[in-house]
Amino acid sequence: MIGKSETLAVLGTGTMGEAILRGLLRAGKLEASQIIGTDRRAEVTRAIHEKHGIRTTSDNREAAAAAQIVLLCVKPHEVEPLVTDPAVGAALAGKLVVSIAAGVRLDQLAAWLPNSAVVRAMPNTPCLIGEGMTVIARGPRVTDAQAATAIEVFQSVGGCLEAEDKVMDAVTSLNGSGPAFAYIMIEALTDGGVRMGLRRDTAMQIAAQMVQGAARMVLQTGMHPAALKDQVTTPAGSTIAGLLIMEDGRIRSVIARAVEEAAKTAAKLGQQKPSEK
Ligand SMILES: NC(=O)c1ccc[n+]([C@@H]2O[C@H](COP(=O)([O-])OP(=O)(O)OC[C@H]3O[C@@H](n4cnc5c(N)ncnc54)[C@H](OP(=O)(O)O)[C@@H]3O)[C@@H](O)[C@H]2O)c1
């Protein structure tokens, strides 16, 4: 649990950093006075302070020194130069440090921060509306209480579960890239509706709400998706006619292989130099 006297630092208040701090404030997990955010550009720190009322600075060492929990929300290739800065590294010693950088492995984080308790986390963009999913993997020096704190942070912007570091590239693909795969499906379903005479805005609203409902059915009933699909599929009906077209297009292997390919690419993300990007 995050204590009332504790401070959380968000290093890099870009898209994801801001989403997480906003979620923490909205959920009432932390007061604005308990969060300190950093960014490279003064206009960003000023805007974040004005919008959320938190303390901001461009000095990562100052923010790390003031906090007990530190979120690293910079781009993957920016993590190493940030945390291996001797002043920042010293300020992070003895603290819980959570990286959300895609492809940056726990062993790298632990080597760069030998005196910190490091956690690797992979959130996704629906965190921006409090409907995200995050998976965390804990490093060797992380206590159960610290892992619970990391989970609590991400539960303020959606669901969160813990896994082993070795599956985090798969998680990066399924969870981090997954929204893009889902958007493609919503767009294609919408096109189908338009093809059959629906207005695009109507078709899109139906498709998105329908996909949300189907996802909630899986989560709330705990039933296998195949069993739920069978419930919709009446003999000689329209659903089986559409399903067979999807099977002809090898839709299952296309989607599964997209997850595989994105995971392979994710594994390389944190290992690239900025010049290779
Ligand atoms: N977006 C996603 O879908 C998603 C999902 C899961 C995980 N992630 C991970 O989340 C991390 C952040 O992604 P994002 O999309 O939020 O990126 P972003 O919007 O570019 O945010 C990163 C912010 O960090 C700032 N920054 C860079 N170096 C800094 C430093 N040394 N000190 C302080 N601030 C610094 C950047 O400033 P400048 O703009 O001036 O460079 C920028 O404002 C990435 O590692 C990514 O892998 C992203």
Side-chain angles (χ1 to χ4, degrees), residues 188-200:
L189 290 162
T190 302
D191 281 345
V194 172
R195 171 79 180 105
M196 295 315 294
L198 290 172
R199 282 168 50 117
R200 180 159 293 277

Side-chain angles (χ1 to χ4, degrees), residues 106 118-120 136-140 142-145 147-148 162-165:
L106 263 185
V118 292
V119 166
R120 177 182 177 185
I136 68 155
R138 65 167 98 177
V142 177
T143 64
D144 285 347
E162 186 175 354
E164 286 182 66
D165 189 43

Side-chain angles (χ1 to χ4, degrees), residues 2 7-12 16-17 20 24 64 67-75 79 82-83 92 94-102 104-106 109-110 112-113 116-123 134-139 142-143 145-155 157 160-161 168:
I2 309 172
T7 296
L8 176 135
V10 179
L11 308 189
M16 294 303 289
I20 295 166
L24 285 163
Q68 291 74 44
I69 308 153
V70 180
L71 303 187
L72 306 176
C73 300
V74 297
K75 292 285 188 196
V79 175
L82 170 61
V83 300
L92 292 173
K95 309 212 165 143
L96 172 61
V97 180
V98 182
S99 161
I100 67 163
V104 177
R105 299 189 313 268
L106 263 185
L109 293 166
W112 297 332
L113 293 166
S116 306
V118 292
V119 166
R120 177 182 177 185
M122 179 42 58
T134 303
V135 179
I136 68 155
R138 65 167 98 177
V142 177
T143 64
Q146 287 172 319
T149 297
I151 288 172
E152 191 185 3
V153 166
F154 293 106
Q155 280 179 339
V157 284
C160 184
L161 56 82
M168 287 304 273

Side-chain angles (χ1 to χ4, degrees), residues 33 77 83 143 148 162 181 202 212:
S33 59
H77 67 273
V83 300
T143 64
E162 186 175 354
F181 304 153
T202 306
Q212 175 175 248

Side-chain angles (χ1 to χ4, degrees), residues 169-179 181-182 185 252-267:
D169 291 325
V171 166
T172 302
S173 165
L174 184 58
N175 191 47
S177 306
F181 304 153
M185 282 183 251
R252 289 167 201 258
S253 69
V254 166
I255 293 171
R257 292 243 181 259
V259 174
E260 179 186 15
E261 203 53 37
K264 286 181 188 164
T265 305

